[in-house]
Amino acid sequence: VAAAAAVVGGAYMTCRGAAELISTLQDKNFRRKRDRTIFIARVLICTLFRRLIHGPKRPRWTIKLEVLMAIMNAAPPPKNIHSLRRGAEVVSPLPKWANVRWTSVAGLEAAWFRGPTCPAVPVTAPNAVHPVVLYLHGGGYCLMSVRTHRTLISRIARACGGECLAIEYRLAPEHPYPAGMGDAIAAYRHLIYDLNIDPKRIVIGGDSAGGGLTLSTLLSLRELGEPMPAAAVLLSPWVDLTCSRDSWRRAKGLDYLSKEDESAGPTRLDLPRLYAGSLPLTHPHISPLNASLQSLPPMLVQLGGVEALLDEGEEFVARAREHGVEVQSTVFEDMPHVFQGFGESITGGAANVAFREIGEFIKTRCGSASSASASQANL
């Protein structure tokens, strides 16, 4: 009887909660904290009862992940870029073991993240052999920051046993392409010329738009004749700003980037156009999926199995291999866009697996330079 009552009550609450949620979403302004609390509570109740009746929405989804995706998908669309930025600028918690030092690089605010197992020598020391990751945060080229990504960046530094330099590159629409790419190139030149770090110790990486920016930076470095880094790490890279692949449709209700029409997803405020400016969205530096990829360094590409960027990511991997690029690629079943940023308790351990893979990849790719530097230092 109790079980039956729970099922009936759950069904009732799900229907009623859904109706109230629609009403809530029609009011696009959460002007009071109470309104936001009520909104989240309604989504939470609906999601929990749906899971109780029907089971998890995806086999590998934890309760935390299912609730998080429900809240992010149900949130009303922002009215403008400023409200979108306010909503996205959530400072991620910094692990107790993290070591962060803020500085300035090429006139930009930047931060060095040192892993707890990183050798206690300065990154510029002649005997320094640990990897250095130049990290470019995601955010649709228009929002977010190093502070929103500091947990993710800290975990990459810990995984690879080295240091990460993350920069606050300029954002669109105030600074459309090629401003961000120019900042990334300047930061890379700072590492190899000002700090005299061997490029074979350096990895460039990023998530989402930061992954796309990583690729456009590599393409520019190749065109400029600059020495290439040892490798690249791409987490759910945004490589096709036309957002035209079918995975955008399949991800509806599963990935927080999914879109039902042109008013949703990254196109809700036309972020691609804000970044590209007057250039076509198919430009190779805007959508690296269309670029010639020959002579680029080895890459690690991680994708979520239900994310909106899955199709373009897999197509990019195939294209890179056709162009002779060595690519290690993993699709994490049932995971959403940049799931690594949600942590292990939310992703059910998938994030831990991803960071171990990232650490091993970086150590392997930078190993030859580290061994050579260590041998030279011992002479």
Side-chain angles (χ1 to χ4, degrees), residues 5 31 113 176 218 265 350 367:
R31 295 183 178 179
F113 293 77
L218 292 174

Side-chain angles (χ1 to χ4, degrees), residues 27-41:
D27 176 12
K28 296 184 179 180
N29 295 314
F30 290 135
R31 295 183 178 179
R32 294 179 297 176
K33 185 177 180 180
R34 174 175 166 272
D35 295 334
R36 293 193 295 271
T37 303
I38 292 174
F39 162 75
I40 293 174

Side-chain angles (χ1 to χ4, degrees), residues 103-110 167 170 182-188 190 194:
T103 185
S104 177
V105 172
L108 305 168
E109 188 178 19
I167 62 170
R170 289 171 292 173
D183 294 339
I185 293 173
Y188 181 72
H190 171 75
D194 297 338

Side-chain angles (χ1 to χ4, degrees), residues 181 204 213-223 228-229 231-232 234 296-297 299:
M181 186 184 70
I204 304 181
L213 186 58
T214 295
L215 289 168
S216 63
T217 299
L218 292 174
L219 293 171
S220 292
L221 292 175
R222 183 189 64 186
E223 294 163 4
M228 281 291 181
L234 310 172
L296 294 189
M299 301 176 185

Side-chain angles (χ1 to χ4, degrees), residues 127-211:
N127 61 335
V129 296
H130 56 270
V132 176
V133 180
L134 173 59
Y135 196 83
L136 307 173
H137 69 80
Y141 296 106
C142 297
L143 54 144
M144 306 188 85
S145 65
V146 173
R147 289 173 175 83
T148 62
H149 283 64
R150 61 182 190 170
T151 301
L152 189 156
I153 301 169
S154 295
R155 296 197 66 188
I156 291 177
R158 181 176 69 172
C160 73
E163 294 185 72
C164 293
L165 174 64
I167 62 170
E168 297 285 15
Y169 61 87
R170 289 171 292 173
L171 301 175
E174 295 85 355
H175 305 284
Y177 172 86
M181 186 184 70
D183 294 339
I185 293 173
Y188 181 72
R189 284 173 166 167
H190 171 75
L191 292 176
I192 63 175
Y193 295 128
D194 297 338
L195 301 185
N196 199 30
I197 298 175
D198 186 350
K200 294 180 181 178
R201 284 177 54 200
I202 301 174
V203 172
I204 304 181
D207 62 280
S208 194

Side-chain angles (χ1 to χ4, degrees), residues 244-310:
S244 57
R245 297 308 191 269
D246 189 58
S247 53
W248 282 97
R249 179 193 58 79
R250 297 197 311 272
K252 178 185 174 183
L254 298 174
D255 187 32
Y256 58 94
L257 280 189
S258 63
K259 65 174 185 176
E260 185 175 0
D261 52 44
E262 289 304 309
S263 65
T267 58
R268 66 180 64 176
L269 292 176
D270 204 5
L271 300 190
R273 179 49 55 200
L274 293 179
Y275 175 65
S278 60
L279 291 175
L281 296 180
T282 55
H283 187 285
H285 283 196
I286 304 295
S287 294
L289 180 61
N290 303 318
S292 174
L293 305 174
Q294 287 90 347
S295 303
L296 294 189
M299 301 176 185
L300 170 65
V301 180
Q302 292 184 345
L303 301 166
V306 297
E307 73 163 296
L309 274 58
L310 177 60

